[in-house]
Amino acid sequence: DIDAPEAWDLTTGSSSIIIAVLDEGVDLSHEDYSSKLVPGYDATGGGSSGGPWGNDAHGTNVAGLAASGSNNSLGVAGVCQACKIMPVRIAYSDANGNWVTTDATIANAITWAYQNGADILNNSWGGGSEATVINTAFSNAKTLGRGGKGSVIVISAGNSNDPTVSYPAYLSTAIAVAASNLCDQRKAPINNLCNGYEYWWGT
């Protein structure tokens, strides 16, 4: 695991750090961390200020893992408990559960996030072909974010149980992150207690 409790003995983060969650939106009224939200953005043109559409919940889950609060008797404690959350909607799910987005939409979201104060850009998505417009946006974030110090870019390595890291996690601008299971092993598509019975994906 990532030894979060051990890290919390040293720090629980800082309210001056903003984590942009580039995903399908974050529940703006979620009781566990609504007070931690900074202004967000809906790059899909839906005007949601970074909120989700319908039953889209992935971005809300990711935001909670990243920075939900502690000491509030609600939900869970995120890794960076004191940090702020910037909801940035890059996609939405259609009636068939497919993500709807474009390369230009994603690039626009990346640019908006770092230009509006995101210290960290969390991207729990990936796959597909390389896109120059996305590559350029990430490169600019890595160079120009945080007042010229560069934003930290974290991207999912992929869920296809493949030894090859997926796009865009393999970019040199990114930190690729894979998943471990409940037994501190690589998450694999095996139906057992260690994998939480989610046998349909592996990192």
Side-chain angles (χ1 to χ4, degrees), residues 31-42:
E31 62 182 359
D32 198 17
Y33 49 84
S34 59
S35 63
K36 299 166 63 66
L37 297 174
V38 300
Y41 178 58
D42 185 350

Side-chain angles (χ1 to χ4, degrees), residues 1-14 66 77-82:
D1 61 51
I2 63 172
D3 292 330
E6 291 83 353
W8 294 334
D9 288 338
L10 302 175
T11 181
T12 55
S14 168
V79 175
C80 191
Q81 300 167 27

Side-chain angles (χ1 to χ4, degrees), residues 57-72:
H58 191 267
T60 299
N61 294 336
V62 170
L65 291 169
S68 59
S70 64
N71 304 319
N72 61 4

Side-chain angles (χ1 to χ4, degrees), residues 183-201:
C183 299
D184 202 16
Q185 304 162 341
R186 182 182 68 83
K187 172 68 180 73
I190 300 172
N191 187 357
N192 62 27
L193 180 62
C194 286
N195 288 303
Y197 298 106
E198 289 193 359
Y199 56 85
W200 54 89
W201 70 280

Side-chain angles (χ1 to χ4, degrees), residues 1-198:
D1 61 51
I2 63 172
D3 292 330
E6 291 83 353
W8 294 334
D9 288 338
L10 302 175
T11 181
T12 55
S14 168
S15 61
S16 67
I17 300 298
I18 298 173
I19 302 173
V21 177
L22 285 79
D23 211 293
E24 60 186 16
V26 175
D27 185 347
L28 304 181
S29 61
H30 195 289
E31 62 182 359
D32 198 17
Y33 49 84
S34 59
S35 63
K36 299 166 63 66
L37 297 174
V38 300
Y41 178 58
D42 185 350
T44 71
S48 73
S49 299
W53 178 76
N55 293 322
D56 287 345
H58 191 267
T60 299
N61 294 336
V62 170
L65 291 169
S68 59
S70 64
N71 304 319
N72 61 4
S73 301
L74 299 171
V76 300
V79 175
C80 191
Q81 300 167 27
C83 293
K84 298 292 187 180
I85 299 166
M86 175 187 287
V88 182
R89 184 180 178 201
I90 65 170
Y92 57 89
S93 298
D94 64 15
N96 296 316
N98 300 308
W99 256 33
V100 179
T101 191
T102 67
D103 295 339
T105 295
I106 294 171
N108 181 23
I110 295 165
T111 301
W112 189 92
Y114 85 76
Q115 288 183 344
N116 285 271
D119 298 286
I120 301 166
L121 279 65
N122 183 90
N123 301 270
S124 294
W125 55 271
S129 302
E130 270 202 49
T132 299
V133 67
I134 292 176
N135 293 354
T136 300
F138 276 134
S139 180
N140 288 340
K142 179 70 178 291
T143 304
L144 304 174
R146 294 194 304 153
K149 293 182 288 187
S151 296
V152 177
I153 300 166
V154 182
I155 307 178
S156 167
N159 294 340
S160 61
N161 198 45
D162 191 299
T164 304
V165 175
S166 65
Y167 176 76
Y170 62 63
L171 295 174
S172 62
T173 51
I175 298 171
V177 177
S180 60
N181 64 19
L182 300 177
C183 299
D184 202 16
Q185 304 162 341
R186 182 182 68 83
K187 172 68 180 73
I190 300 172
N191 187 357
N192 62 27
L193 180 62
C194 286
N195 288 303
Y197 298 106
E198 289 193 359

